C-alpha cells in the first residue's frame, strides 16, 4: 500500500484479517460518476472495475450483487437463477443499513450484515479486479481468486 492517506475501512480490516494482498487506488469521487469515473481517471478498462450493488428479493431479503462496471444486471436472470419472483435494487438508505457503507462507497468485504453474494460469472475469469474499498473515492485492486475465496459467491450469468 502506498502512503498513509488510504482510509482504514471495515473492508480493509476484513482483507487484512484474511491476509489478502491488495493495492489502493484513491480517485476523485463524482456523484453519479460510478465505475466510469474511476476507469477514466486511472486508465483502466471499465470491464475490470466491479460494482457492488445491494439488492433485495420480493420479501426484502438483501443480497450483494457484483457486476462488471460497464454492464447492467439482468434482475430477471438473477431472480430466475436463485428461485425468487423479483429482485430490485435496495433504496439507498436501506442499502446503507444492510452494508454499513454509503452508496457509492459500498464494498462487498466487511459488510455490517452477512448477505449472500452473487457474482457475474465473467468476473471469475479475470486475473485481477478493481472494487470499492469501503469509501467513496477509494477503489482497491486484488487478485480475483482472493476475492472469490473470501466472498464465496454464487456465480451467475446475469450481465446485459
Amino acid at each position: 500500500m502506498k502512503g498513509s492517506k488510504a482510509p482504514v475501512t471495515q473492508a480493509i480490516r476484513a482483507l487484512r484479517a484474511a491476509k489478502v494482498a491488495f493495492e489502493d487506488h484513491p480517485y476523485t469521487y463524482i456523484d453519479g460518476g460510478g465505475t466510469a469515473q474511476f476507469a477514466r481517471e486511472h486508465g483502466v478498462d471499465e470491464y475490470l472495475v466491479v460494482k457492488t450493488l445491494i439488492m433485495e428479493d420480493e420479501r426484502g431479503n438483501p443480497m450483494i450483487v457484483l457486476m462488471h462496471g460497464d454492464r447492467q444486471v439482468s434482475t430477471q436472470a438473477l431472480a430466475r437463477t436463485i428461485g425468487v419472483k423479483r429482485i430490485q435494487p435496495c433504496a439507498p438508505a436501506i442499502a446503507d443499513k444492510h452494508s454499513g457503507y454509503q452508496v457509492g462507497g459500498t464494498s462487498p468485504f466487511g459488510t455490517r450484515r452477512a448477505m449472500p453474494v452473487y457474482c457475474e460469472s465473467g468476473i471469475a475469469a479475470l486475473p485481477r479486479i478493481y472494487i470499492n474499498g469501503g469509501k467513496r473515492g477509494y477503489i482497491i485492486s486484488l487478485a480475483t481468486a482472493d476475492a472469490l475465496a473470501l466472498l464465496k459467491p454464487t456465480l451467475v450469468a446475469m450481465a446485459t
Side-chain angles (χ1 to χ4, degrees):
M1 288 201 6
K2 304 175 240 164
S4 59
K5 60 183 181 256
V8 180
T9 63
Q10 279 305 113
I12 299 310
R13 289 183 187 100
L15 290 169
R16 286 179 179 163
K19 297 187 180 353
V20 171
F22 64 92
E23 293 177 27
D24 36 71
H25 306 278
Y27 72 101
T28 306
Y29 177 81
I30 296 174
D31 200 26
T35 55
Q37 166 65 19
F38 171 80
R40 269 191 311 276
E41 193 172 307
H42 283 267
V44 171
D45 183 345
E46 192 179 2
Y47 186 78
L48 305 176
V49 185
V50 176
K51 52 189 166 187
T52 304
L53 307 164
I54 307 298
M55 297 194 170
E56 63 188 2
D57 66 17
E58 71 277 2
R59 293 183 302 274
N61 296 318
M63 64 196 75
I64 296 170
V65 179
L66 303 176
M67 179 55 69
H68 297 287
D70 63 349
R71 301 290 196 282
Q72 298 300 313
V73 174
S74 167
T75 54
Q76 289 178 327
L78 179 56
R80 200 170 29 253
T81 300
I82 66 172
V84 299
K85 290 181 185 171
R86 189 179 72 250
I87 291 177
Q88 64 189 17
C90 288
I94 301 297
D96 292 354
K97 184 177 175 193
H98 289 314
S99 71
Y101 297 111
Q102 186 177 26
V103 168
T106 305
S107 178
F109 307 106
T111 54
R112 176 178 292 151
R113 174 178 181 171
M115 295 174 270
V117 180
Y118 299 98
C119 178
E120 166 55 36
S121 54
I123 292 170
L126 302 172
R128 190 166 188 84
I129 57 171
Y130 296 83
I131 196 161
N132 203 289
K135 184 175 181 2
R136 289 177 172 180
Y138 181 57
I139 295 282
I140 57 170
S141 62
L142 70 160
T144 306
D146 289 342
L148 297 177
L150 196 56
L151 296 170
K152 298 178 181 34
T154 299
L155 300 179
V156 180
M158 59 181 162
T160 62

